[in-house]
Amino acid sequence: MRWQADDDPDARIRKAWATLHTRGAIGEGLGAGVVVADGFLLTCAHVINAALGRPKLAATEPTSQDMLEVVVSFPSQGSERHAVELASWLAPKLEGEQWWDGDLALLKVSMGASDVTPVPVRETSGRRLSTWYAHGAPRSLVDVYVQVSMGPWYILDPGYAPLKILPGHSGAPLWDRERGCVTGLVVSTEPDNLRSYAIRASEMMKLLAAAGVLPTLAAEMSDPRMRVRRGELIAALDVLSERNLQRCAERLGRVLNLPWFPPTCADLVDAALCHTRGMPTLLSTLTAHGVVAQQVRDVAARLGPVRILTPDEYEDLIALLGPAAHLEVRAAARRAVPHFTLPVADVHVGTLIEDLEDRTSEPGVVPPVIQVIEEVAAARQENGDALREWSQRASDRLGVSPEAMQQCRWSAKSRATARTSQPVLRVWLWATEPSAEALQYVVRLYDAHGHQVSTWTGGDTPRTRADLCADLSEAVDDLDQYEESAGVEFLLQEGFFGLAVDQLPTHAGPLGTRPVGLDRVVVVRGQSVRRSGAWKARWEHGRSSQASPYVLTDQQAANSILTSRGDIACVIASCPPDQHDSALALCRWLGVPVVLWHRSGNSQGLTEALRAVVPDDWPRNLREVVRRQRAEALYDNAHMGAHLALLWEDPSWAPPRQRLTNPTRMEGGSV
């Protein structure tokens, strides 16, 4: 019984199947090939070498005279053999003892009036594929599974059928019957391992493009749903003007390195569907056509597992991550998307990114691959901003809602902070007036995980400064047991930020007493946070490499500038001492998280002196620079460092809200 196209999903590959022989030899053939365009077929270069009796990895391009010894047959047409010409040669190149690169040959063949038809070549998300022996007989079918991709190769696991891949399979196409296309070409098998290799479709397409051969585009989609989606995409693009359609086609052709520009809507859709990164590239060409882009995006979301990054986005991401980022990305994936199962082992970070791309999400929701990149960015000390800029561009093109991206980024940074936070001592302090000797306080020590370790409290009864300093001495002794710490935070009420808390004396053993800010970082914070959205947004701006401080010298001008500019995260308050309270109130109202000022001076040159204190990388080093200034001042009251105050409202330092509730009921007593 003869197979018919309607009941055989493999009918098309059977018609395109070619078997290679040495002229005059009998037998089933030395290897296989596949017709990919009218009059052209692809096979492996080492199959040509075998037909010529040359060493397997011979690199020299065969001559026209050599090629007279190579003939092909088409099993679907019978045993007739046809002469071939060499149209393009990608020599096999030895890489190590058991590995090689290249290994493709494009042959030109005259098939006359035969019924041989080419098949489309494109990468797909399909993992379960099929191939056949050199002669393409149905009973030689081998089911394979693509385990991982590695550079130009697929690593195959032929463990899903009783038949194995053998040397005679070289040049045989990997057939994705569900999507009706060839997605690779079998090249080798390891003799002592049930593992084989194939050249990826993208490498095959590069050779065709370099040779100027137009491959077959349209795939016979056996899936009726895919046929419907294709029609919807064509209908969505059909509203574009001829000029706009031409521009989209030209841009898509350039990005995907196509040797031609698709002339019609149908050709444009087929070109996008035939490339593993075609759909995101098509969407990137429609940025100026919002309604059409949204329609295409909605259809693409229903296509099933497809790549979501354009080639440029993918290449930029791999470069930003670096070749050794596999373990880093895996760890980030376990944190960001713990419910996804990833391959047990891999050697290339690009494969892991592609696996994450396969995990689709609803339109408007942050795709898992973007979630993971945000997780990597949050954990990195260097290059995090560049990765965040990449994910922002990608999410904007993908139509992810800004609110979803904001939440994703905040979650990633919160998890990173929880992993990298340092022990910190927090001192809640109240008084009836800044100069009062009667104080109420609570001192709490938190470990690197944000867990409360110890508490010192003066209770509801006001205590003296000496009592505070005694408890503070015990607390900093415990804090100093840690190898590194974030120092001491004093949480104060509005109007009390001018207190010289960094100069509070603490016990120093045989040295007597030393100011608490001499040996460790000391900053002040507020006991309440207003407009937390603006506060967090400014803090994020402050983390970027473009952040620079704003010098506040005039209250009215500062009000206008800080209100209109939400990117200012650091303020140098160089104003008269009697304006400090109002300046700080303005900054805190507008969500400015970092303010530096001099408590007691408005001398000539103070502005420049304060500017000199703030380093270019102030988000990382300002606290330590201020500590060194205080240490240089020591007991010299005329030194500027003796009067520096630093408000540092870092959102990532905040422990869970239930731990911040203060036991008193005074105004400002809860954070």
Side-chain angles (χ1 to χ4, degrees), residues 57-85:
L57 301 182
T60 305
E61 181 174 333
T63 66
S64 299
Q65 190 67 27
D66 292 333
M67 293 303 296
L68 295 176
E69 297 299 314
V70 182
V71 292
V72 300
S73 64
F74 301 99
S76 67
Q77 304 299 304
S79 59
E80 182 182 356
R81 299 188 178 187
H82 304 261
V84 295
E85 299 176 20

PDB file of all heavy atoms in Angstrom, residues 57-85:
ATOM      1  N   LEU A  57      37.643  13.297   7.700  1.00  0.00           N
ATOM      2  CA  LEU A  57      37.683  14.731   7.998  1.00  0.00           C
ATOM      3  C   LEU A  57      38.571  15.497   7.021  1.00  0.00           C
ATOM      4  O   LEU A  57      39.097  16.565   7.361  1.00  0.00           O
ATOM      5  CB  LEU A  57      38.167  14.962   9.438  1.00  0.00           C
ATOM      6  CG  LEU A  57      37.307  14.312  10.531  1.00  0.00           C
ATOM      7  CD1 LEU A  57      37.849  14.652  11.918  1.00  0.00           C
ATOM      8  CD2 LEU A  57      35.859  14.775  10.413  1.00  0.00           C
ATOM      9  N   ALA A  58      38.739  14.990   5.810  1.00  0.00           N
ATOM     10  CA  ALA A  58      39.506  15.715   4.791  1.00  0.00           C
ATOM     11  C   ALA A  58      38.856  17.069   4.537  1.00  0.00           C
ATOM     12  O   ALA A  58      37.648  17.168   4.327  1.00  0.00           O
ATOM     13  CB  ALA A  58      39.564  14.901   3.500  1.00  0.00           C
ATOM     14  N   ALA A  59      39.658  18.125   4.574  1.00  0.00           N
ATOM     15  CA  ALA A  59      39.102  19.478   4.475  1.00  0.00           C
ATOM     16  C   ALA A  59      39.130  20.054   3.066  1.00  0.00           C
ATOM     17  O   ALA A  59      38.389  20.995   2.764  1.00  0.00           O
ATOM     18  CB  ALA A  59      39.862  20.415   5.427  1.00  0.00           C
ATOM     19  N   THR A  60      39.986  19.521   2.195  1.00  0.00           N
ATOM     20  CA  THR A  60      40.135  20.079   0.848  1.00  0.00           C
ATOM     21  C   THR A  60      38.830  19.947   0.062  1.00  0.00           C
ATOM     22  O   THR A  60      38.214  18.876   0.027  1.00  0.00           O
ATOM     23  CB  THR A  60      41.251  19.350   0.088  1.00  0.00           C
ATOM     24  OG1 THR A  60      42.459  19.418   0.864  1.00  0.00           O
ATOM     25  CG2 THR A  60      41.472  19.978  -1.275  1.00  0.00           C
ATOM     26  N   GLU A  61      38.399  21.041  -0.548  1.00  0.00           N
ATOM     27  CA  GLU A  61      37.158  21.009  -1.323  1.00  0.00           C
ATOM     28  C   GLU A  61      37.324  20.127  -2.552  1.00  0.00           C
ATOM     29  O   GLU A  61      38.290  20.281  -3.318  1.00  0.00           O
ATOM     30  CB  GLU A  61      36.776  22.421  -1.729  1.00  0.00           C
ATOM     31  CG  GLU A  61      35.479  22.496  -2.515  1.00  0.00           C
ATOM     32  CD  GLU A  61      35.046  23.927  -2.777  1.00  0.00           C
ATOM     33  OE1 GLU A  61      35.405  24.822  -1.970  1.00  0.00           O
ATOM     34  OE2 GLU A  61      34.360  24.152  -3.800  1.00  0.00           O
ATOM     35  N   PRO A  62      36.407  19.181  -2.759  1.00  0.00           N
ATOM     36  CA  PRO A  62      36.501  18.309  -3.944  1.00  0.00           C
ATOM     37  C   PRO A  62      36.416  19.124  -5.234  1.00  0.00           C
ATOM     38  O   PRO A  62      35.696  20.125  -5.314  1.00  0.00           O
ATOM     39  CB  PRO A  62      35.303  17.375  -3.793  1.00  0.00           C
ATOM     40  CG  PRO A  62      34.957  17.417  -2.332  1.00  0.00           C
ATOM     41  CD  PRO A  62      35.289  18.806  -1.886  1.00  0.00           C
ATOM     42  N   THR A  63      37.116  18.655  -6.243  1.00  0.00           N
ATOM     43  CA  THR A  63      37.072  19.312  -7.551  1.00  0.00           C
ATOM     44  C   THR A  63      35.863  18.820  -8.351  1.00  0.00           C
ATOM     45  O   THR A  63      35.194  17.846  -7.979  1.00  0.00           O
ATOM     46  CB  THR A  63      38.358  19.014  -8.330  1.00  0.00           C
ATOM     47  OG1 THR A  63      38.395  17.606  -8.618  1.00  0.00           O
ATOM     48  CG2 THR A  63      39.589  19.406  -7.525  1.00  0.00           C
ATOM     49  N   SER A  64      35.618  19.481  -9.477  1.00  0.00           N
ATOM     50  CA  SER A  64      34.529  19.048 -10.364  1.00  0.00           C
ATOM     51  C   SER A  64      34.774  17.625 -10.849  1.00  0.00           C
ATOM     52  O   SER A  64      33.842  16.821 -10.991  1.00  0.00           O
ATOM     53  CB  SER A  64      34.406  19.998 -11.559  1.00  0.00           C
ATOM     54  OG  SER A  64      34.110  21.303 -11.116  1.00  0.00           O
ATOM     55  N   GLN A  65      36.056  17.298 -11.112  1.00  0.00           N
ATOM     56  CA  GLN A  65      36.391  15.944 -11.546  1.00  0.00           C
ATOM     57  C   GLN A  65      36.111  14.932 -10.443  1.00  0.00           C
ATOM     58  O   GLN A  65      35.599  13.837 -10.699  1.00  0.00           O
ATOM     59  CB  GLN A  65      37.875  15.889 -11.951  1.00  0.00           C
ATOM     60  CG  GLN A  65      38.285  14.597 -12.640  1.00  0.00           C
ATOM     61  CD  GLN A  65      37.634  14.446 -14.009  1.00  0.00           C
ATOM     62  OE1 GLN A  65      37.308  15.439 -14.663  1.00  0.00           O
ATOM     63  NE2 GLN A  65      37.451  13.193 -14.436  1.00  0.00           N
ATOM     64  N   ASP A  66      36.440  15.321  -9.181  1.00  0.00           N
ATOM     65  CA  ASP A  66      36.153  14.441  -8.042  1.00  0.00           C
ATOM     66  C   ASP A  66      34.661  14.140  -7.955  1.00  0.00           C
ATOM     67  O   ASP A  66      34.250  12.994  -7.714  1.00  0.00           O
ATOM     68  CB  ASP A  66      36.608  15.079  -6.728  1.00  0.00           C
ATOM     69  CG  ASP A  66      38.116  15.185  -6.618  1.00  0.00           C
ATOM     70  OD1 ASP A  66      38.818  14.362  -7.237  1.00  0.00           O
ATOM     71  OD2 ASP A  66      38.579  16.098  -5.902  1.00  0.00           O
ATOM     72  N   MET A  67      33.844  15.168  -8.162  1.00  0.00           N
ATOM     73  CA  MET A  67      32.409  15.018  -7.935  1.00  0.00           C
ATOM     74  C   MET A  67      31.741  14.114  -8.975  1.00  0.00           C
ATOM     75  O   MET A  67      30.590  13.695  -8.786  1.00  0.00           O
ATOM     76  CB  MET A  67      31.720  16.385  -7.919  1.00  0.00           C
ATOM     77  CG  MET A  67      32.119  17.254  -6.722  1.00  0.00           C
ATOM     78  SD  MET A  67      31.800  16.455  -5.128  1.00  0.00           S
ATOM     79  CE  MET A  67      30.021  16.315  -5.168  1.00  0.00           C
ATOM     80  N   LEU A  68      32.463  13.776 -10.061  1.00  0.00           N
ATOM     81  CA  LEU A  68      31.905  12.835 -11.027  1.00  0.00           C
ATOM     82  C   LEU A  68      31.725  11.452 -10.418  1.00  0.00           C
ATOM     83  O   LEU A  68      30.965  10.622 -10.947  1.00  0.00           O
ATOM     84  CB  LEU A  68      32.812  12.737 -12.265  1.00  0.00           C
ATOM     85  CG  LEU A  68      32.929  14.016 -13.117  1.00  0.00           C
ATOM     86  CD1 LEU A  68      33.925  13.803 -14.253  1.00  0.00           C
ATOM     87  CD2 LEU A  68      31.559  14.431 -13.667  1.00  0.00           C
ATOM     88  N   GLU A  69      32.427  11.190  -9.296  1.00  0.00           N
ATOM     89  CA  GLU A  69      32.338   9.894  -8.637  1.00  0.00           C
ATOM     90  C   GLU A  69      31.175   9.818  -7.648  1.00  0.00           C
ATOM     91  O   GLU A  69      30.958   8.773  -7.026  1.00  0.00           O
ATOM     92  CB  GLU A  69      33.650   9.601  -7.896  1.00  0.00           C
ATOM     93  CG  GLU A  69      34.852   9.480  -8.804  1.00  0.00           C
ATOM     94  CD  GLU A  69      34.673   8.340  -9.806  1.00  0.00           C
ATOM     95  OE1 GLU A  69      34.254   7.248  -9.375  1.00  0.00           O
ATOM     96  OE2 GLU A  69      34.927   8.553 -11.012  1.00  0.00           O
ATOM     97  N   VAL A  70      30.436  10.926  -7.461  1.00  0.00           N
ATOM     98  CA  VAL A  70      29.343  10.953  -6.483  1.00  0.00           C
ATOM     99  C   VAL A  70      28.015  11.024  -7.229  1.00  0.00           C
ATOM    100  O   VAL A  70      27.844  11.855  -8.139  1.00  0.00           O
ATOM    101  CB  VAL A  70      29.478  12.170  -5.531  1.00  0.00           C
ATOM    102  CG1 VAL A  70      28.360  12.144  -4.493  1.00  0.00           C
ATOM    103  CG2 VAL A  70      30.835  12.169  -4.855  1.00  0.00           C
ATOM    104  N   VAL A  71      27.097  10.157  -6.852  1.00  0.00           N
ATOM    105  CA  VAL A  71      25.753  10.189  -7.431  1.00  0.00           C
ATOM    106  C   VAL A  71      24.733  10.068  -6.306  1.00  0.00           C
ATOM    107  O   VAL A  71      25.056   9.641  -5.196  1.00  0.00           O
ATOM    108  CB  VAL A  71      25.545   9.034  -8.443  1.00  0.00           C
ATOM    109  CG1 VAL A  71      26.400   9.244  -9.676  1.00  0.00           C
ATOM    110  CG2 VAL A  71      25.833   7.682  -7.786  1.00  0.00           C
ATOM    111  N   VAL A  72      23.493  10.466  -6.614  1.00  0.00           N
ATOM    112  CA  VAL A  72      22.430  10.384  -5.608  1.00  0.00           C
ATOM    113  C   VAL A  72      21.221   9.686  -6.215  1.00  0.00           C
ATOM    114  O   VAL A  72      21.026   9.687  -7.439  1.00  0.00           O
ATOM    115  CB  VAL A  72      22.011  11.785  -5.092  1.00  0.00           C
ATOM    116  CG1 VAL A  72      23.172  12.501  -4.448  1.00  0.00           C
ATOM    117  CG2 VAL A  72      21.392  12.616  -6.203  1.00  0.00           C
ATOM    118  N   SER A  73      20.448   9.097  -5.328  1.00  0.00           N
ATOM    119  CA  SER A  73      19.153   8.543  -5.724  1.00  0.00           C
ATOM    120  C   SER A  73      18.089   9.086  -4.794  1.00  0.00           C
ATOM    121  O   SER A  73      18.400   9.593  -3.697  1.00  0.00           O
ATOM    122  CB  SER A  73      19.186   7.008  -5.662  1.00  0.00           C
ATOM    123  OG  SER A  73      19.381   6.569  -4.321  1.00  0.00           O
ATOM    124  N   PHE A  74      16.838   9.007  -5.233  1.00  0.00           N
ATOM    125  CA  PHE A  74      15.714   9.470  -4.426  1.00  0.00           C
ATOM    126  C   PHE A  74      14.797   8.277  -4.171  1.00  0.00           C
ATOM    127  O   PHE A  74      14.086   7.829  -5.087  1.00  0.00           O
ATOM    128  CB  PHE A  74      14.981  10.603  -5.142  1.00  0.00           C
ATOM    129  CG  PHE A  74      15.857  11.788  -5.428  1.00  0.00           C
ATOM    130  CD1 PHE A  74      16.412  11.963  -6.692  1.00  0.00           C
ATOM    131  CD2 PHE A  74      16.168  12.693  -4.428  1.00  0.00           C
ATOM    132  CE1 PHE A  74      17.248  13.036  -6.952  1.00  0.00           C
ATOM    133  CE2 PHE A  74      17.006  13.766  -4.684  1.00  0.00           C
ATOM    134  CZ  PHE A  74      17.548  13.940  -5.946  1.00  0.00           C
ATOM    135  N   PRO A  75      14.841   7.708  -2.959  1.00  0.00           N
ATOM    136  CA  PRO A  75      14.086   6.481  -2.678  1.00  0.00           C
ATOM    137  C   PRO A  75      12.621   6.560  -3.049  1.00  0.00           C
ATOM    138  O   PRO A  75      12.032   5.541  -3.431  1.00  0.00           O
ATOM    139  CB  PRO A  75      14.282   6.303  -1.169  1.00  0.00           C
ATOM    140  CG  PRO A  75      15.596   6.969  -0.886  1.00  0.00           C
ATOM    141  CD  PRO A  75      15.646   8.147  -1.809  1.00  0.00           C
ATOM    142  N   SER A  76      12.023   7.731  -2.976  1.00  0.00           N
ATOM    143  CA  SER A  76      10.598   7.831  -3.321  1.00  0.00           C
ATOM    144  C   SER A  76      10.359   7.683  -4.812  1.00  0.00           C
ATOM    145  O   SER A  76       9.216   7.485  -5.254  1.00  0.00           O
ATOM    146  CB  SER A  76      10.035   9.182  -2.841  1.00  0.00           C
ATOM    147  OG  SER A  76      10.616  10.249  -3.579  1.00  0.00           O
ATOM    148  N   GLN A  77      11.442   7.789  -5.617  1.00  0.00           N
ATOM    149  CA  GLN A  77      11.304   7.739  -7.073  1.00  0.00           C
ATOM    150  C   GLN A  77      11.867   6.467  -7.686  1.00  0.00           C
ATOM    151  O   GLN A  77      11.817   6.297  -8.899  1.00  0.00           O
ATOM    152  CB  GLN A  77      12.020   8.954  -7.690  1.00  0.00           C
ATOM    153  CG  GLN A  77      11.546  10.291  -7.169  1.00  0.00           C
ATOM    154  CD  GLN A  77      10.076  10.529  -7.454  1.00  0.00           C
ATOM    155  OE1 GLN A  77       9.647  10.476  -8.603  1.00  0.00           O
ATOM    156  NE2 GLN A  77       9.298  10.759  -6.412  1.00  0.00           N
ATOM    157  N   GLY A  78      12.451   5.621  -6.855  1.00  0.00           N
ATOM    158  CA  GLY A  78      13.037   4.404  -7.400  1.00  0.00           C
ATOM    159  C   GLY A  78      14.539   4.396  -7.238  1.00  0.00           C
ATOM    160  O   GLY A  78      15.107   5.135  -6.429  1.00  0.00           O
ATOM    161  N   SER A  79      15.229   3.583  -8.041  1.00  0.00           N
ATOM    162  CA  SER A  79      16.673   3.370  -7.881  1.00  0.00           C
ATOM    163  C   SER A  79      17.524   4.179  -8.854  1.00  0.00           C
ATOM    164  O   SER A  79      18.758   4.052  -8.851  1.00  0.00           O
ATOM    165  CB  SER A  79      16.988   1.880  -8.051  1.00  0.00           C
ATOM    166  OG  SER A  79      16.578   1.428  -9.342  1.00  0.00           O
ATOM    167  N   GLU A  80      16.913   4.990  -9.711  1.00  0.00           N
ATOM    168  CA  GLU A  80      17.686   5.779 -10.683  1.00  0.00           C
ATOM    169  C   GLU A  80      18.660   6.699  -9.958  1.00  0.00           C
ATOM    170  O   GLU A  80      18.331   7.330  -8.948  1.00  0.00           O
ATOM    171  CB  GLU A  80      16.741   6.608 -11.550  1.00  0.00           C
ATOM    172  CG  GLU A  80      17.481   7.417 -12.619  1.00  0.00           C
ATOM    173  CD  GLU A  80      16.544   8.285 -13.444  1.00  0.00           C
ATOM    174  OE1 GLU A  80      15.307   8.199 -13.228  1.00  0.00           O
ATOM    175  OE2 GLU A  80      17.031   9.037 -14.294  1.00  0.00           O
ATOM    176  N   ARG A  81      19.884   6.806 -10.486  1.00  0.00           N
ATOM    177  CA  ARG A  81      20.928   7.634  -9.872  1.00  0.00           C
ATOM    178  C   ARG A  81      21.196   8.866 -10.739  1.00  0.00           C
ATOM    179  O   ARG A  81      21.131   8.808 -11.963  1.00  0.00           O
ATOM    180  CB  ARG A  81      22.199   6.820  -9.669  1.00  0.00           C
ATOM    181  CG  ARG A  81      21.970   5.628  -8.739  1.00  0.00           C
ATOM    182  CD  ARG A  81      23.240   4.918  -8.370  1.00  0.00           C
ATOM    183  NE  ARG A  81      22.973   3.823  -7.441  1.00  0.00           N
ATOM    184  CZ  ARG A  81      23.916   3.113  -6.837  1.00  0.00           C
ATOM    185  NH1 ARG A  81      25.194   3.385  -7.069  1.00  0.00           N
ATOM    186  NH2 ARG A  81      23.590   2.131  -6.010  1.00  0.00           N
ATOM    187  N   HIS A  82      21.542   9.962 -10.034  1.00  0.00           N
ATOM    188  CA  HIS A  82      21.692  11.257 -10.706  1.00  0.00           C
ATOM    189  C   HIS A  82      23.068  11.841 -10.387  1.00  0.00           C
ATOM    190  O   HIS A  82      23.559  11.749  -9.252  1.00  0.00           O
ATOM    191  CB  HIS A  82      20.616  12.241 -10.240  1.00  0.00           C
ATOM    192  CG  HIS A  82      19.214  11.738 -10.414  1.00  0.00           C
ATOM    193  ND1 HIS A  82      18.415  12.099 -11.473  1.00  0.00           N
ATOM    194  CD2 HIS A  82      18.469  10.887  -9.657  1.00  0.00           C
ATOM    195  CE1 HIS A  82      17.236  11.513 -11.356  1.00  0.00           C
ATOM    196  NE2 HIS A  82      17.250  10.763 -10.259  1.00  0.00           N
ATOM    197  N   ALA A  83      23.664  12.483 -11.363  1.00  0.00           N
ATOM    198  CA  ALA A  83      24.938  13.177 -11.151  1.00  0.00           C
ATOM    199  C   ALA A  83      24.708  14.456 -10.349  1.00  0.00           C
ATOM    200  O   ALA A  83      23.623  15.047 -10.386  1.00  0.00           O
ATOM    201  CB  ALA A  83      25.581  13.496 -12.498  1.00  0.00           C
ATOM    202  N   VAL A  84      25.733  14.877  -9.641  1.00  0.00           N
ATOM    203  CA  VAL A  84      25.626  16.081  -8.805  1.00  0.00           C
ATOM    204  C   VAL A  84      26.830  16.982  -9.039  1.00  0.00           C
ATOM    205  O   VAL A  84      27.887  16.540  -9.499  1.00  0.00           O
ATOM    206  CB  VAL A  84      25.529  15.721  -7.307  1.00  0.00           C
ATOM    207  CG1 VAL A  84      24.252  14.971  -6.998  1.00  0.00           C
ATOM    208  CG2 VAL A  84      26.745  14.924  -6.850  1.00  0.00           C
ATOM    209  N   GLU A  85      26.658  18.255  -8.709  1.00  0.00           N
ATOM    210  CA  GLU A  85      27.745  19.230  -8.694  1.00  0.00           C
ATOM    211  C   GLU A  85      27.841  19.806  -7.285  1.00  0.00           C
ATOM    212  O   GLU A  85      26.832  19.916  -6.583  1.00  0.00           O
ATOM    213  CB  GLU A  85      27.480  20.358  -9.690  1.00  0.00           C
ATOM    214  CG  GLU A  85      27.360  19.909 -11.128  1.00  0.00           C
ATOM    215  CD  GLU A  85      26.991  21.076 -12.041  1.00  0.00           C
ATOM    216  OE1 GLU A  85      27.202  22.245 -11.624  1.00  0.00           O
ATOM    217  OE2 GLU A  85      26.464  20.825 -13.136  1.00  0.00           O
TER     218      GLU A  85
END
